[in-house]
Amino acid sequence: MRETTIIRQLRAGDPAGLEALMDAYLPYVSAVVWHILGRAMPPEDGEEVVSDVFLAAWDQAEDLRPGQIKVWLAAVARHKARNRLRQTGRTLPLEGEALEIPGQADPADQLARAEEGQLVRAAVDALPHQEREIFLRYYYYAQTMPEIAQRMDLNLSTVKTKLRRGRMKLKEQLTREGYVHEA
């Protein structure tokens, strides 16, 4: 079924749209959730997070766009999985956006990526609240600048400026730590 049909059905409140969405994306959403949760949660919790992702798609069907469903689902899955970990007192670094096959990477590379991820998370967390929120919405939740402006009730130019400032501050922090080299 085409994405436009699925979106139209979801917006109309037709359960067939949700069923088609789940048929198309359940394995993908499950992989994203389990990549983040790993063995930190029992299977029932992971299944609940996956269900919450599709419930969010049902409740927020107006946010879905053709060609963007997979990105939207992945962003929501990452967000919900990380929130579930935080509720139990666990956290993850920002890295880990791309799914990896366990056992395929060199342990030294994995350790370096984990350290870099922790540094990036700390640098993002150090941004002022509004800049951090804009930064995460744009890069982590794949929202467009106009969407961010609308949802945060800001001017589009303000969003652009704060995003640029956030990138500059992040680059400064990472340069100080030796992870970004000046050209």
Side-chain angles (χ1 to χ4, degrees):
M1 184 177 292
R2 291 181 19 162
E3 287 186 347
T4 52
T5 305
I6 292 173
I7 292 170
R8 187 173 54 250
Q9 288 177 324
L10 287 171
R11 289 178 180 170
D14 184 351
L18 182 59
E19 186 176 328
L21 184 71
M22 291 177 74
D23 286 344
Y25 295 105
L26 183 63
Y28 176 73
V29 170
S30 295
V32 171
V33 168
W34 286 112
H35 175 71
I36 292 170
L37 295 181
R39 296 179 186 197
M41 298 275 172
E44 299 81 25
D45 285 351
E47 291 168 5
E48 186 177 331
V49 172
V50 170
S51 296
D52 289 346
V53 172
F54 288 103
L55 180 61
W58 176 263
D59 290 340
Q60 300 169 15
E62 295 301 319
D63 292 343
L64 299 175
R65 302 285 177 261
Q68 296 291 316
I69 289 178
K70 191 172 185 177
V71 171
W72 190 92
L73 288 170
V76 172
R78 285 190 304 268
H79 175 73
K80 289 193 176 291
R82 286 188 168 123
N83 276 350
R84 180 60 61 99
L85 282 176
R86 284 184 198 106
Q87 289 171 352
T88 63
R90 298 180 177 115
T91 60
L92 282 179
L94 267 183
E95 56 78 37
E97 299 300 326
L99 296 177
E100 295 178 12
I101 299 170
Q104 294 295 316
D106 177 35
D109 289 342
Q110 289 178 335
L111 180 60
R113 273 198 304 278
E115 289 172 355
E116 289 171 6
Q118 289 172 348
L119 182 63
V120 169
R121 168 54 87 184
V124 170
D125 286 344
L127 292 173
H129 175 73
Q130 197 172 53
E131 286 176 16
R132 180 177 59 244
E133 183 173 351
I134 291 169
F135 190 88
L136 290 173
R137 283 176 179 265
Y138 186 76
Y139 287 107
Y140 188 66
Y141 300 117
Q143 292 180 357
T144 64
M145 286 188 218
E147 285 176 322
I148 295 168
Q150 179 186 10
R151 291 178 185 205
M152 293 182 68
D153 196 28
L154 297 170
N155 291 327
L156 181 57
S157 60
T158 302
V159 170
K160 289 178 182 179
T161 300
K162 289 192 177 284
L163 185 60
R164 183 177 49 78
R165 283 185 195 152
R167 282 191 295 251
M168 289 171 30
K169 287 178 182 176
L170 193 62
K171 182 179 178 183
E172 286 173 20
Q173 176 70 23
L174 296 175
T175 300
R176 276 195 304 270
E177 298 293 331
Y179 285 97
V180 175
H181 301 287
E182 295 290 342

